[in-house]
Amino acid sequence: MTLPPRRRLIAAAKAAFPPTIPILAGFIFLGITCGIYAGSLGLPWWVPPLMSICIFAGSAEFVVASMLVAPFNPIQTFITVFVINARHLFYGISMLDRFRGLGRKRAYLIFGMCDETFSINYAAKVPEGIDRGWFMFFVSLFNQLYWICGCTLGAVCGTLLAVHIEGVSFAMTALFVVIFLDQWLKDGVHAGAWTGILASLGTLIVFGPDGFIIPAMVLILIVLTLTRTPVERALTAHDERGGDDA
Amino acid sequence: MTTAQMLATIAIAAAATILTRALPFIAFPAGKQTPPYIQYLGRVLPGAVFGLLVVYCLREVDVFTGMHGLPEALGVLVAGSTYLWKRNMLLSIAISTVLYMLIVNVA
């Protein structure tokens, strides 16, 4: 892979920064919380930064921190983390085509695909003249840097910092709401969106907040598989009308 | 746990996370034709996933006690309506987050 001229890189980095601003706020605060939490468990200061660099998955890192003060159990760690992060499987399926032909950047894009990075990279309109691969690369990199900074700050300064500002993390909820709406407006066929909302709400009521993700994923797959024939017919009809589907 | 065991646990957690992100790319490599069923899923799953993520973010909201989820409902409504109006993601996120923070800190 030949490195593009520096100017193209800088342009891609500049274009990638604005969409990550909500994540900057959210990840710094959430990262500090994660760092402080690990410290409160009595873990050494280097644990949160190391996790933010090599795991980079918010909710899983909280759980791993609690596992580090329990007896060593590698199999349980693997299964628990895989289940917590199983939703990423759906992100990969959605990104199969978009990560094509991106050379070595692809490996980092796949590694860094947390909820927020996936959402921005899936939804963002890459500005005219900006390299799409480098744009997505910088979105991933910036988001991870925010997370590393937050976790490190929380771990090193710990309770000294004591920045508990209630409600900053609502930025994440708002981000997903806006992206959901944006996707809704782009999609001519809303079968996926309805399935996602209703299956998640239904399984949340039945299984509760700690155990609904996997049942929701299974239900989404079942519903979208059973309705494939009519949904595909609707998608084809939408395409033939010249629908602008992302 | 010893330091070595800690490092091993973190490495295992990292491997499990990478696997969830990379598995589709390993199963359906770029050179080969992706099965039509997976292509179909790739097209309908994003809408479903964003719906799932919204519900996931709001999973701890208790509609029966406290503020009955009103701050969250208001935040979501404001984020959605301002986005429909201005089509500006950052603006909608900023306004709804500030409003939400005001409510939960003042109320």
Side-chain angles (χ1 to χ4, degrees):
Chain A
M1 185 185 71
T2 52
L3 210 69
R6 237 173 114 191
R7 213 171 285 168
R8 264 180 72 198
L9 271 184
I10 294 170
K14 273 187 184 159
F17 176 66
T20 69
I21 293 173
I23 316 299
L24 171 65
F27 273 17
I28 294 277
F29 282 95
L30 204 63
I32 290 176
T33 312
C34 187
I36 292 178
Y37 173 67
S40 73
L41 295 172
L43 290 166
W45 70 269
W46 49 264
V47 167
L50 183 66
M51 289 201 298
S52 66
I53 291 166
C54 63
I55 304 177
F56 188 37
S59 45
E61 288 175 37
F62 278 92
V63 175
V64 173
S66 68
M67 286 176 159
L68 290 175
V69 289
F72 184 54
N73 190 338
I75 294 168
Q76 195 204 333
T77 303
F78 186 87
I79 293 172
T80 309
V81 174
F82 190 89
V83 170
I84 291 174
N85 288 331
R87 62 186 185 282
H88 296 139
L89 291 165
F90 282 9
Y91 306 166
I93 294 174
S94 308
M95 281 299 198
L96 279 173
D97 287 333
R98 296 181 184 214
F99 285 174
R100 289 255 156 92
L102 295 177
R104 271 186 295 176
K105 289 190 286 299
R106 191 165 166 266
Y108 179 68
L109 286 171
I110 294 170
F111 166 80
M113 198 162 52
C114 64
D115 302 321
E116 293 76 9
T117 301
F118 160 72
S119 304
I120 293 176
N121 278 339
Y122 189 87
K125 266 200 202 86
V126 182
E128 194 95 7
I130 299 291
D131 183 280
R132 199 175 56 88
W134 283 110
F135 175 89
M136 294 195 291
F137 176 85
F138 281 114
V139 167
S140 310
L141 183 68
F142 290 157
N143 286 348
Q144 187 170 15
L145 288 178
Y146 307 150
W147 182 243
I148 295 173
C149 284
C151 289
T152 308
L153 270 172
V156 175
C157 309
T159 41
L160 280 180
L161 224 56
V163 273
H164 182 70
I165 300 179
E166 185 80 18
V168 190
S169 60
F170 189 79
M172 300 301 168
T173 311
L175 172 85
F176 293 132
V177 167
V178 170
I179 286 180
F180 174 80
L181 202 57
D182 184 66
Q183 187 62 30
W184 178 282
L185 296 168
K186 276 189 218 159
D187 277 343
V189 180
H190 301 130
W194 278 115
T195 308
I197 288 284
L198 294 177
S200 308
L201 280 176
T203 49
L204 174 64
I205 291 166
V206 176
F207 295 94
D210 296 323
F212 83 100
I213 289 275
I214 300 288
M217 287 175 66
V218 173
L219 191 57
I220 287 170
L221 276 183
I222 291 174
V223 171
L224 289 177
T225 303
L226 291 178
T227 56
R228 183 178 167 192
T229 313
V231 172
E232 267 190 334
R233 205 178 296 137
L235 284 169
T236 313
H238 174 70
D239 290 345
E240 280 164 2
R241 286 196 306 269
D244 154 51
D245 194 294
Chain B
M1 229 188 247
T2 64
T3 301
Q5 286 176 332
M6 280 190 184
L7 290 173
T9 300
I10 293 173
I12 289 162
T17 304
I18 291 169
L19 197 61
T20 62
R21 290 175 185 169
L23 214 52
F25 298 93
I26 299 166
F28 310 109
K32 275 202 275 179
Q33 177 73 33
T34 307
Y37 173 62
I38 300 299
Q39 285 182 17
Y40 162 72
L41 285 183
R43 207 169 156 192
V44 288
L45 275 184
V49 159
F50 295 128
L52 174 68
L53 282 171
V54 170
V55 176
Y56 179 70
C57 280
L58 299 169
R59 69 190 183 285
E60 306 280 0
V61 175
D62 189 344
V63 289
F64 299 110
T65 55
M67 291 201 257
H68 303 277
L70 279 175
E72 285 80 10
L74 210 61
V76 168
L77 269 176
V78 169
S81 52
T82 52
Y83 186 70
L84 286 177
W85 178 35
K86 290 283 180 192
R87 300 291 165 100
N88 183 328
M89 286 198 185
L90 284 181
L91 184 79
S92 293
I93 294 168
I95 290 178
S96 59
T97 305
V98 169
L99 178 75
Y100 178 82
M101 289 172 68
L102 275 175
I103 298 174
V104 294
N105 284 294
V106 174

